[in-house]
Amino acid sequence: MQTGVLLKESLAVYRLYREANTGGSATHFTKPRYLIPAVKDPKTYPRFFAVTSKKKGEEDDRSSVIFYFVQPEAGAPWKATADTSAVTEPVKESAASEASPTPEPAESEEDFVSVEPKQLPDVHRDASGAVPLSPTAASDRSACNDFAEYLSFTVPHGRPVDDRFTSGAFTSDVVRHYNGWATDGLTRRFSTKTTGTPLPVFRLATGGSLVACQFVQEYHAEGETPSDTMQFGEGSEIDVLLGGGGESWRKVDVVYSMTALIEVPPGRPAAATVLACDCYAPQTLSATGVRPD
């Protein structure tokens, strides 16, 4: 069962299957590891926990899927409200290096970029095995708003270097990747905002905090003159939502859903590290466009 942002993403995937007249297959998970906070006040709701799992058939992969579950009130069912993938195991000694190929957004779905995510730090566990929540959760979550601001710009004017974040696959590289979309005759703009219910902030063994953030990202592309148009690969998510056929468009607005995991170090204002993010392949929620006259 799902709720919140994750439910919106699943409904968007269902709509894409329906519009494209295709079907998807169910994904099964195994090897769960639970991140359960200690409950200090039994009357406090909502309650959360998280679990890392392996996709069945990919148990040897270094990455895991992390699901966040919420119970809004006493007696209510637990529902998944967020998920994202992250590297949870170290590089095997037999492997010199491993890079995770991540598809570029639907602008050009046949192309791929290769990123090397950082491994998720160990969470802190108390004597009972529970994962303590960060005592500075409110200030830790400000990293979500900072990241949303960081990913809001008109290409090619995004600033790869930002003192609030360490450089890496999901910060400086993402901005450079989007800046590379700059095209004569087209204006391209990203606007990113936080969304969803604030998720639990877990204390890490390093003393830092693990912050999960959910975002709505709006992408606007518009020709500078009536003859400046754009196309999307036939069968791509944006093309399907625009009606298919690989048509030309004068203006297009796309809404994406995106999730990130951020390591906030103890003693901010030290730079935070984005450990995982579907920035290169966010879930498309909707697309609208205006055809040339």
Side-chain angles (χ1 to χ4, degrees):
M1 299 176 68
Q2 298 178 349
T3 189
V5 174
L6 185 57
L7 178 59
K8 291 180 181 179
E9 292 177 350
S10 295
L11 291 175
V13 171
Y14 173 74
R15 179 188 175 191
L16 284 164
Y17 285 148
R18 186 183 60 201
E19 296 287 343
N21 197 25
T22 59
S25 58
T27 302
H28 299 279
F29 295 93
T30 186
K31 292 189 174 181
R33 294 185 62 197
Y34 294 93
L35 307 177
I36 302 176
V39 177
K40 295 182 179 180
D41 183 354
K43 297 181 180 179
T44 299
Y45 287 88
R47 293 183 183 175
F48 295 89
F49 75 89
V51 58
T52 67
S53 301
K54 300 289 186 181
K55 292 182 179 179
K56 194 169 184 179
E58 301 178 11
E59 289 86 353
D60 293 333
D61 193 278
R62 291 178 58 213
S63 297
S64 301
V65 179
I66 302 178
F67 287 96
Y68 285 80
F69 288 82
V70 61
Q71 185 186 38
E73 57 188 19
W78 288 91
K79 294 184 179 181
T81 189
D83 75 335
T84 189
S85 295
V87 175
T88 52
E89 280 80 43
V91 176
K92 298 179 178 64
E93 292 184 3
S94 60
S97 64
E98 292 186 18
S100 299
T102 304
E104 180 181 323
E107 184 83 4
S108 178
E109 290 193 342
E110 294 180 357
D111 296 332
F112 288 83
V113 293
S114 182
V115 299
E116 296 187 33
K118 296 182 179 180
Q119 183 181 340
L120 206 69
D122 291 333
V123 296
H124 178 73
R125 292 185 184 272
D126 62 22
S128 70
V131 180
L133 297 177
S134 169
T136 56
S139 61
D140 293 338
R141 288 193 186 99
S142 66
C144 297
N145 290 328
D146 290 343
F147 193 53
E149 182 183 348
Y150 177 57
L151 291 186
S152 298
F153 55 87
T154 299
V155 302
H157 304 299
R159 296 181 299 124
V161 178
D162 190 306
D163 291 342
R164 296 171 293 183
F165 298 99
T166 60
S167 296
F170 300 115
T171 48
S172 53
D173 291 353
V174 170
V175 174
R176 292 189 184 99
H177 176 73
Y178 286 163
N179 280 340
W181 288 15
T183 306
D184 291 340
L186 290 180
T187 297
R188 302 172 188 263
R189 182 172 63 251
F190 291 94
S191 177
T192 310
K193 298 179 181 179
T194 58
T195 189
T197 301
L199 298 171
V201 179
F202 295 116
R203 187 77 175 270
L204 294 171
T206 59
S209 303
L210 181 64
V211 182
C213 311
Q214 294 177 294
F215 305 97
V216 169
Q217 185 179 66
E218 297 177 355
Y219 169 61
H220 174 83
E222 183 172 0
E224 295 177 1
T225 71
S227 62
D228 293 318
T229 61
M230 71 204 82
Q231 290 178 301
F232 301 90
E234 188 168 356
S236 67
E237 290 186 356
I238 295 177
D239 178 63
V240 169
L241 292 174
L242 290 174
E247 301 290 339
S248 295
W249 298 89
R250 173 81 170 81
K251 179 172 67 173
V252 170
D253 288 284
V254 184
V255 178
Y256 295 109
S257 180
M258 191 166 62
T259 304
L261 291 177
I262 302 178
E263 178 186 4
V264 176
R268 290 188 75 186
T273 299
V274 182
L275 300 166
C277 178
D278 50 358
C279 308
Y280 297 98
Q283 177 59 55
T284 309
L285 297 181
S286 66
T288 57
V290 176
R291 296 183 185 274
D293 294 333

